[in-house]
Amino acid sequence: MRGTKHEALNYKISDGPLILGHFLRRKNRFVVQVEIEGAATFAYLPNPGRLWEILLPGVLLLLAPSKGELPFVVMAAKRRGDWVLLHTHVVNDVVDWMIRHDLVPDLSGAKILEREVAVNKSRIDFLLERCGRKIFLEVKSCTLFGSYVAAFPDAVTARGKRHIEELALLAKDGYEVALLFLVNSLRPKFFLPDYHTDLAFSEALAENRHAVDVMPLGVRWSEEMKMGDLPAKLPVPWGLIEEEMADRGAYLSIFEVDGFREIDIGALGRVQLRPGFYVYAGSGKKNLTARINRHLRRRKVLHWHVDYLREVSESVLNLPIRTADDIECYLAASMNEIANDIVSNFGCSDCRCDSHLFYFSSDPLKRSDFMDRLLYFRFDRLWDKINTRQWEECK
């Protein structure tokens, strides 16, 4: 017998006690250091994502006691007032419960036949049946969202791209196929594939969207990790995605300098650098990937101001912002508002900006003001665009 929607709101991820703690640092991909009642300890993090915008120093965590090697396991993190489910191993259990209680609008009436179904070289999360037709369903947990937009993935996922391709092949064989993104917030107004982070995944999703039913579904969790409200389906603005999703746009490159340095930069002259992080705002009207990959190489003809900076940097991290709009100087102005200092006249000979290179005394990726601006330029600035369009475009 199928449950009721009222019963579904009593669903609780963990029956055991949940403990509040604060995030200190990420030791490696699956281990984090946390503080519980003033004492530091380690916890297992069952999530391979980057989680940059979530795992900021001091963020509040929900942990459960663990019987594994570490004393605790991370269940969720507090972000913008929402508890974001981080435990990816329980996501399919959540979706299982939602299907059985008719909380997935596009799968109403479907019955679960099997979980973890082998298909060629992959495993698909669910095999369902409705009205005599079989449905293959893959599930992804979406933890990346700004004020208005949710996006997936937050790191490159070759496995995710392969799942899309497998689902598309099943559709050619006559099966119904779907990809459900469980968005861990009800705040976002629409969903995008994160073409800034993983262009290949996003292109595969867009290319196969007529064969694969894309289902972004927002949920809200209470501090007891109960589902507090009925899930809500998010629209996907495919028209806007097609306009924006190309290999051009703007970018931020983070250079780490581990000591005091002096470099001669052509006509700019001698520049003195301090230990810390330097964020460069640039753009590429085409071949953006090739442009930012150039910043990773040391061996090259030194031409641009930023080429000289690479010579004295320990590491470089590129953050592309793929867009049809010219936002480079707006991006620079935004960095200028939060940086500790600027390198005057750097990288801005063709505009009126004071600089396109900004000094941060601490890692920008561990600062909420930097992450908020990155999320704005990647996602939330599109809200004004989509707000002026017909919602019929979002299917």
Side-chain angles (χ1 to χ4, degrees), residues 7-64:
E7 290 172 345
L9 295 182
N10 292 323
Y11 178 72
K12 187 177 181 181
I13 287 178
S14 175
D15 291 328
L18 294 174
I19 302 162
L20 290 173
H22 290 89
F23 173 77
L24 296 177
R25 66 184 180 95
R26 195 169 187 171
K27 182 180 179 182
N28 58 43
R29 197 178 184 191
F30 296 109
V31 177
V32 294
Q33 188 177 34
V34 300
E35 182 184 272
I36 301 174
E37 296 183 347
T41 186
F42 289 97
Y44 172 52
L45 175 66
N47 192 311
R50 287 174 173 168
L51 306 175
W52 286 339
E53 73 288 348
I54 296 176
L55 295 183
L56 295 167
V59 74
L60 197 60
L61 300 177
L62 274 178
L63 305 111

Side-chain angles (χ1 to χ4, degrees), residues 229-244:
D229 300 273
L230 292 175
K233 185 177 180 181
L234 301 179
V236 184
W238 289 113
L240 179 60
I241 291 167
E242 288 180 347
E243 292 177 15
E244 294 283 289

Side-chain angles (χ1 to χ4, degrees), residues 248-358:
R248 42 91 172 97
Y251 62 91
L252 295 172
S253 291
I254 303 175
F255 297 81
E256 183 177 4
V257 177
D258 66 354
F260 290 93
R261 301 283 188 270
E262 286 190 358
I263 51 175
D264 292 314
I265 305 178
L268 187 60
R270 178 158 292 189
V271 173
Q272 295 182 338
L273 302 175
R274 289 170 281 175
F277 298 82
Y278 289 83
V279 177
Y280 175 72
S283 65
K285 298 188 183 302
K286 60 180 181 179
N287 300 324
L288 182 63
T289 299
R291 169 65 66 89
I292 61 178
N293 284 346
R294 174 185 170 85
H295 298 336
L296 300 176
R297 303 195 307 268
R298 290 187 185 275
R299 290 188 175 184
K300 57 180 178 278
V301 176
L302 302 182
H303 178 68
W304 309 104
H305 287 175
V306 70
D307 292 341
Y308 294 86
L309 178 60
R310 178 65 186 102
E311 293 294 291
V312 296
S313 301
E314 290 300 307
S315 62
V316 183
L317 176 67
N318 293 317
L319 301 170
I321 304 170
R322 294 185 168 89
T323 177
D325 300 327
D326 183 3
I327 63 169
E328 179 183 357
C329 291
Y330 295 104
L331 194 57
S334 182
M335 291 297 102
N336 194 23
E337 292 176 353
I338 61 173
N340 298 109
D341 204 351
I342 68 171
V343 178
S344 296
N345 303 316
F346 191 104
C348 58
S349 58
D350 58 350
C351 66
R352 297 182 178 180
C353 298
D354 294 329
S355 179
H356 277 212
L357 184 65
F358 307 93

Side-chain angles (χ1 to χ4, degrees), residues 11 88-97 115-116 124-126 138-140 182:
Y11 178 72
T88 57
H89 300 177
V90 303
V91 169
N92 282 2
D93 294 334
V94 173
V95 173
D96 186 304
W97 176 271
R115 288 177 55 167
E116 293 292 322
I124 303 300
D125 290 321
F126 290 91
E138 178 65 18
V139 176
K140 303 294 181 188
L182 191 71

Side-chain angles (χ1 to χ4, degrees), residues 348-377:
C348 58
S349 58
D350 58 350
C351 66
R352 297 182 178 180
C353 298
D354 294 329
S355 179
H356 277 212
L357 184 65
F358 307 93
Y359 172 73
F360 290 78
S361 58
S362 60
D363 187 350
L365 293 178
K366 297 178 181 178
R367 291 179 49 158
S368 61
D369 54 1
F370 178 86
M371 294 309 306
D372 286 345
R373 282 161 171 76
L374 179 63
L375 290 175
Y376 170 78
F377 281 100

Side-chain angles (χ1 to χ4, degrees), residues 37-229:
E37 296 183 347
T41 186
F42 289 97
Y44 172 52
L45 175 66
N47 192 311
R50 287 174 173 168
L51 306 175
W52 286 339
E53 73 288 348
I54 296 176
L55 295 183
L56 295 167
V59 74
L60 197 60
L61 300 177
L62 274 178
L63 305 111
S66 171
K67 296 179 181 179
E69 295 181 7
L70 298 174
F72 300 99
V73 59
V74 178
M75 300 300 297
K78 194 75 170 285
R79 182 165 182 272
R80 297 190 175 187
D82 290 328
W83 283 107
V84 180
L85 176 64
L86 298 185
H87 198 318
T88 57
H89 300 177
V90 303
V91 169
N92 282 2
D93 294 334
V94 173
V95 173
D96 186 304
W97 176 271
M98 291 168 65
I99 292 171
R100 295 181 190 279
H101 289 78
D102 276 336
L103 292 180
V104 182
D106 293 338
L107 295 175
S108 180
K111 181 174 70 171
I112 298 172
L113 297 181
E114 191 177 349
R115 288 177 55 167
E116 293 292 322
V117 185
V119 176
N120 297 326
K121 296 181 180 180
S122 299
R123 284 189 173 273
I124 303 300
D125 290 321
F126 290 91
L127 176 60
L128 314 176
E129 185 179 52
R130 180 173 57 186
C131 300
R133 288 182 57 83
K134 291 184 177 174
I135 307 169
F136 285 90
L137 174 68
E138 178 65 18
V139 176
K140 303 294 181 188
S141 177
C142 176
T143 61
L144 175 61
F145 57 88
S147 297
Y148 302 106
V149 184
F152 180 94
D154 81 336
V156 174
T157 172
R159 181 171 177 266
K161 178 175 178 288
R162 188 173 68 250
H163 282 149
I164 295 171
E165 294 165 346
E166 296 282 11
L167 289 172
L169 289 175
L170 288 167
K172 286 183 178 180
D173 290 337
Y175 294 102
E176 292 185 38
V177 298
L179 182 55
L180 189 153
F181 295 94
L182 191 71
V183 179
N184 286 275
S185 175
L186 288 176
R187 293 175 183 268
K189 305 301 182 184
F190 62 98
F191 173 87
L192 297 174
D194 187 359
Y195 45 80
H196 311 287
T197 296
D198 193 339
L199 185 59
F201 171 90
S202 302
E203 288 175 336
L205 189 64
E207 180 182 344
N208 292 288
R209 70 181 187 271
H210 298 299
V212 180
D213 194 357
V214 179
M215 302 177 183
L217 207 60
V219 296
R220 176 178 289 137
W221 299 105
S222 71
E223 189 169 311
E224 294 77 29
M225 294 309 292
K226 288 184 177 181
M227 196 178 295
D229 300 273

